Coordinates of all heavy atoms in Angstrom, one line a residue:
G8 N 4.6 -4.1 -24.3 CA 5.6 -3.2 -24.8 C 7.0 -3.7 -24.5 O 8.0 -3.2 -25.0
G9 N 7.2 -4.7 -23.6 CA 8.5 -5.2 -23.3 C 9.1 -5.9 -24.4 O 8.4 -6.6 -25.2
E10 N 10.4 -5.8 -24.6 CA 11.1 -6.5 -25.6 C 12.7 -6.4 -25.4 O 13.1 -5.8 -24.4 CB 10.8 -5.9 -27.0 CG 11.2 -4.5 -27.2 CD 10.8 -4.0 -28.7 OE1 9.7 -3.6 -28.8 OE2 11.7 -4.1 -29.5
L11 N 13.4 -7.0 -26.3 CA 14.9 -7.0 -26.2 C 15.3 -5.8 -27.0 O 15.0 -5.6 -28.2 CB 15.4 -8.2 -26.8 CG 16.9 -8.3 -27.1 CD1 17.7 -8.2 -25.8 CD2 17.3 -9.6 -27.8
V12 N 16.1 -4.9 -26.3 CA 16.7 -3.7 -27.0 C 18.1 -3.6 -26.7 O 18.7 -4.3 -25.8 CB 15.9 -2.4 -26.6 CG1 14.5 -2.5 -27.0 CG2 16.0 -2.2 -25.1
Q13 N 18.8 -2.7 -27.3 CA 20.2 -2.4 -27.0 C 20.4 -1.2 -26.1 O 19.5 -0.4 -26.0 CB 21.0 -2.2 -28.4 CG 21.1 -3.4 -29.3 CD 22.0 -3.2 -30.5 OE1 22.2 -2.1 -30.9 NE2 22.5 -4.3 -31.0
A14 N 21.5 -1.2 -25.4 CA 21.8 -0.1 -24.6 C 21.7 1.2 -25.4 O 22.3 1.3 -26.5 CB 23.2 -0.3 -24.0
G15 N 21.1 2.2 -24.7 CA 20.9 3.5 -25.4 C 19.6 3.6 -26.1 O 19.2 4.8 -26.5
D16 N 18.9 2.6 -26.3 CA 17.7 2.6 -27.0 C 16.5 3.1 -26.1 O 16.7 3.3 -24.9 CB 17.3 1.2 -27.5 CG 18.0 0.8 -28.7 OD1 18.8 1.6 -29.3 OD2 17.9 -0.4 -29.2
S17 N 15.4 3.4 -26.7 CA 14.2 3.8 -26.0 C 13.1 2.7 -26.1 O 13.1 1.9 -27.1 CB 13.7 5.1 -26.5 OG 14.6 6.1 -26.3
L18 N 12.2 2.7 -25.2 CA 11.1 1.7 -25.2 C 9.9 2.4 -24.4 O 10.2 3.1 -23.4 CB 11.6 0.5 -24.5 CG 10.8 -0.8 -24.7 CD1 10.7 -1.2 -26.2 CD2 11.4 -2.0 -23.9
R19 N 8.7 2.0 -24.8 CA 7.6 2.6 -24.2 C 6.7 1.4 -23.7 O 6.3 0.6 -24.5 CB 6.7 3.5 -25.1 CG 5.6 4.2 -24.4 CD 4.9 5.2 -25.4 NE 3.8 5.9 -24.7 CZ 4.0 7.0 -24.1 NH1 5.2 7.5 -23.9 NH2 2.9 7.6 -23.6
L20 N 6.5 1.3 -22.4 CA 5.6 0.3 -21.9 C 4.2 0.9 -21.6 O 4.1 2.1 -21.3 CB 6.1 -0.2 -20.5 CG 7.6 -0.7 -20.5 CD1 7.9 -1.3 -19.1 CD2 7.7 -1.8 -21.5
S21 N 3.2 0.1 -21.8 CA 1.8 0.5 -21.5 C 1.1 -0.5 -20.6 O 1.5 -1.6 -20.6 CB 1.0 0.6 -22.9 OG 1.5 1.7 -23.7
C22 N 0.2 0.1 -19.9 CA -0.6 -0.8 -19.0 C -2.1 -0.4 -19.2 O -2.6 0.7 -18.9 CB -0.2 -0.6 -17.6 SG -1.2 -1.5 -16.4
A23 N -2.9 -1.4 -19.7 CA -4.3 -1.2 -19.9 C -5.0 -1.8 -18.7 O -4.7 -2.8 -18.2 CB -4.8 -1.9 -21.2
T24 N -6.0 -1.1 -18.2 CA -6.7 -1.5 -17.0 C -8.2 -1.5 -17.2 O -8.8 -0.9 -18.1 CB -6.4 -0.5 -15.8 OG1 -7.1 0.7 -16.0 CG2 -4.9 -0.2 -15.7
S25 N -8.8 -2.2 -16.3 CA -10.3 -2.3 -16.2 C -10.7 -2.8 -14.9 O -9.9 -3.4 -14.1 CB -10.8 -3.2 -17.3 OG -10.4 -4.6 -17.2
G26 N -12.0 -2.6 -14.5 CA -12.6 -3.2 -13.3 C -12.4 -2.3 -12.1 O -12.9 -2.8 -11.0
F27 N -11.9 -1.1 -12.2 CA -11.8 -0.3 -11.0 C -11.9 1.2 -11.5 O -11.7 1.5 -12.7 CB -10.5 -0.6 -10.2 CG -9.3 -0.3 -10.9 CD1 -8.6 0.9 -10.6 CD2 -8.7 -1.2 -11.8 CE1 -7.3 1.1 -11.3 CE2 -7.5 -1.0 -12.4 CZ -6.8 0.2 -12.1
T28 N -12.1 2.1 -10.5 CA -12.2 3.5 -10.8 C -10.8 4.1 -11.1 O -10.2 4.6 -10.2 CB -12.9 4.3 -9.7 OG1 -14.1 3.6 -9.4 CG2 -13.2 5.7 -10.1
F29 N -10.4 4.0 -12.3 CA -9.0 4.2 -12.6 C -8.5 5.6 -12.2 O -7.4 5.8 -11.6 CB -8.8 4.1 -14.1 CG -7.4 4.4 -14.6 CD1 -6.4 3.5 -14.5 CD2 -7.0 5.7 -15.1 CE1 -5.1 3.7 -15.0 CE2 -5.8 6.0 -15.5 CZ -4.8 5.0 -15.5
N30 N -9.3 6.6 -12.4 CA -8.8 8.0 -12.2 C -8.7 8.3 -10.7 O -8.0 9.3 -10.3 CB -9.7 9.0 -12.8 CG -11.2 8.9 -12.4 OD1 -11.5 8.1 -11.5 ND2 -12.1 9.7 -12.9
S31 N -9.2 7.4 -9.8 CA -9.0 7.7 -8.4 C -7.8 7.0 -7.8 O -7.6 7.1 -6.5 CB -10.3 7.3 -7.6 OG -10.5 5.9 -7.7
Y32 N -7.1 6.2 -8.6 CA -6.0 5.4 -8.1 C -4.7 6.0 -8.5 O -4.5 6.5 -9.7 CB -6.1 4.0 -8.6 CG -7.0 3.1 -7.7 CD1 -8.4 3.2 -7.9 CD2 -6.4 2.2 -6.9 CE1 -9.2 2.4 -7.1 CE2 -7.3 1.4 -6.1 CZ -8.6 1.5 -6.2 OH -9.4 0.7 -5.4
I33 N -3.7 6.0 -7.6 CA -2.3 6.2 -8.0 C -1.8 5.0 -8.8 O -2.2 3.9 -8.5 CB -1.5 6.3 -6.7 CG1 -1.9 7.5 -5.9 CG2 0.0 6.4 -7.0 CD1 -1.5 7.5 -4.4
M34 N -1.1 5.3 -9.8 CA -0.6 4.2 -10.7 C 0.9 4.3 -10.6 O 1.5 5.3 -10.6 CB -1.1 4.5 -12.1 CG -2.6 4.4 -12.3 SD -3.3 2.8 -11.8 CE -2.4 1.6 -12.9
G35 N 1.5 3.1 -10.6 CA 2.9 3.0 -10.5 C 3.5 1.9 -11.3 O 2.8 1.0 -11.9
W36 N 4.8 2.0 -11.5 CA 5.6 0.9 -12.2 C 6.7 0.4 -11.3 O 7.4 1.2 -10.6 CB 6.2 1.4 -13.5 CG 5.3 1.7 -14.6 CD1 4.7 2.8 -14.9 CD2 4.9 0.7 -15.6 NE1 3.9 2.7 -16.0 CE2 4.0 1.4 -16.4 CE3 5.2 -0.6 -15.8 CZ2 3.4 0.8 -17.5 CZ3 4.6 -1.2 -16.9 CH2 3.7 -0.6 -17.7
F37 N 6.8 -0.9 -11.2 CA 7.9 -1.5 -10.4 C 8.6 -2.5 -11.4 O 8.1 -2.8 -12.5 CB 7.3 -2.3 -9.3 CG 6.9 -1.5 -8.1 CD1 5.7 -0.8 -8.2 CD2 7.6 -1.5 -6.9 CE1 5.3 0.0 -7.1 CE2 7.2 -0.7 -5.9 CZ 6.1 0.1 -6.0
R38 N 9.8 -2.9 -11.0 CA 10.5 -3.9 -11.8 C 11.2 -4.9 -10.9 O 11.5 -4.6 -9.7 CB 11.5 -3.2 -12.7 CG 12.7 -2.5 -12.0 CD 13.5 -1.7 -13.0 NE 14.6 -1.1 -12.3 CZ 15.4 -0.2 -13.0 NH1 15.2 0.1 -14.3 NH2 16.4 0.3 -12.3
Q39 N 11.4 -6.1 -11.4 CA 12.1 -7.1 -10.7 C 13.0 -7.9 -11.6 O 12.6 -8.5 -12.5 CB 11.1 -8.1 -10.0 CG 11.7 -9.1 -9.1 CD 10.6 -9.7 -8.2 OE1 9.4 -9.8 -8.5 NE2 11.0 -10.3 -7.0
A40 N 14.3 -7.8 -11.2 CA 15.3 -8.6 -11.9 C 15.5 -9.9 -11.2 O 15.2 -10.1 -10.1 CB 16.6 -7.8 -11.9
P41 N 16.0 -10.9 -12.0 CA 16.2 -12.3 -11.4 C 17.1 -12.2 -10.1 O 18.1 -11.6 -10.1 CB 17.0 -13.0 -12.5 CG 16.5 -12.3 -13.8 CD 16.4 -10.9 -13.4
G42 N 16.5 -12.8 -9.0 CA 17.3 -12.9 -7.8 C 17.3 -11.7 -7.0 O 17.9 -11.6 -5.9
K43 N 16.5 -10.7 -7.4 CA 16.4 -9.4 -6.7 C 15.0 -9.1 -6.2 O 14.0 -9.7 -6.8 CB 16.9 -8.2 -7.5 CG 18.4 -8.3 -7.9 CD 18.9 -7.1 -8.6 CE 20.4 -7.1 -8.8 NZ 20.9 -5.8 -9.5
E44 N 14.8 -8.2 -5.3 CA 13.5 -7.8 -4.8 C 12.8 -6.9 -5.8 O 13.5 -6.3 -6.6 CB 13.6 -7.1 -3.4 CG 14.1 -8.0 -2.3 CD 14.0 -7.3 -1.0 OE1 13.8 -6.1 -0.9 OE2 14.2 -8.1 0.1
R45 N 11.5 -6.8 -5.7 CA 10.8 -5.9 -6.6 C 11.1 -4.5 -6.2 O 11.2 -4.1 -5.0 CB 9.2 -6.2 -6.4 CG 8.4 -5.5 -7.5 CD 7.1 -6.0 -7.5 NE 7.0 -7.4 -8.0 CZ 5.9 -8.1 -8.3 NH1 4.7 -7.4 -8.2 NH2 6.0 -9.3 -8.7
E46 N 11.4 -3.7 -7.2 CA 12.0 -2.3 -7.0 C 11.1 -1.3 -7.6 O 10.6 -1.4 -8.7 CB 13.4 -2.3 -7.7 CG 14.1 -1.0 -7.8 CD 15.3 -1.0 -8.7 OE1 15.2 -1.7 -9.7 OE2 16.2 -0.3 -8.4
F47 N 10.9 -0.2 -6.9 CA 10.1 0.9 -7.4 C 10.7 1.6 -8.5 O 12.0 1.8 -8.5 CB 9.8 1.9 -6.2 CG 9.2 3.2 -6.7 CD1 7.9 3.2 -7.2 CD2 9.9 4.4 -6.6 CE1 7.4 4.5 -7.6 CE2 9.4 5.6 -7.0 CZ 8.1 5.6 -7.5
V48 N 10.0 2.0 -9.5 CA 10.5 2.7 -10.7 C 9.9 4.1 -10.8 O 10.6 5.1 -10.8 CB 10.2 1.9 -12.0 CG1 10.6 2.8 -13.2 CG2 10.8 0.6 -12.0
A49 N 8.5 4.2 -10.8 CA 7.9 5.5 -11.0 C 6.4 5.4 -10.6 O 5.8 4.3 -10.6 CB 8.0 5.9 -12.4
A50 N 5.9 6.5 -10.2 CA 4.5 6.6 -9.8 C 3.8 7.9 -10.3 O 4.6 8.9 -10.3 CB 4.2 6.3 -8.4
V51 N 2.5 7.9 -10.5 CA 1.9 9.2 -10.9 C 0.6 9.3 -10.1 O -0.1 8.3 -9.8 CB 1.6 9.2 -12.4 CG1 0.7 8.0 -12.8 CG2 0.9 10.5 -12.8
M52 N 0.4 10.5 -9.6 CA -0.8 10.8 -8.7 C -2.1 10.4 -9.5 O -2.2 10.5 -10.7 CB -0.7 12.2 -8.3 CG -1.8 12.7 -7.4 SD -1.9 12.0 -5.8 CE -0.7 13.0 -5.0
A53 N -3.1 10.3 -8.7 CA -4.5 10.0 -9.2 C -5.0 11.3 -9.8 O -4.4 12.4 -9.6 CB -5.4 9.5 -8.1
W54 N -6.2 11.3 -10.3 CA -7.0 12.4 -10.8 C -6.1 13.3 -11.7 O -5.9 14.5 -11.5 CB -7.4 13.3 -9.6 CG -8.3 12.5 -8.7 CD1 -8.0 12.1 -7.4 CD2 -9.6 12.0 -8.9 NE1 -9.0 11.4 -6.8 CE2 -10.0 11.3 -7.7 CE3 -10.5 12.0 -10.0 CZ2 -11.2 10.6 -7.6 CZ3 -11.8 11.4 -9.8 CH2 -12.1 10.7 -8.6

Side-chain angles (χ1 to χ4, degrees):
E10 62 180 88
L11 171 63
V12 297
Q13 293 187 335
D16 284 354
S17 297
L18 198 59
R19 186 176 183 86
L20 304 183
S21 294
C22 177
T24 74
S25 63
F27 64 100
T28 309
F29 179 82
N30 57 4
S31 69
Y32 276 77
I33 295 159
M34 297 301 298
W36 287 93
F37 285 74
R38 65 187 181 187
Q39 189 165 19
K43 295 188 176 182
E44 293 187 352
R45 193 163 293 191
E46 174 189 34
F47 169 68
V48 176
V51 60
M52 178 67 82
W54 304 107

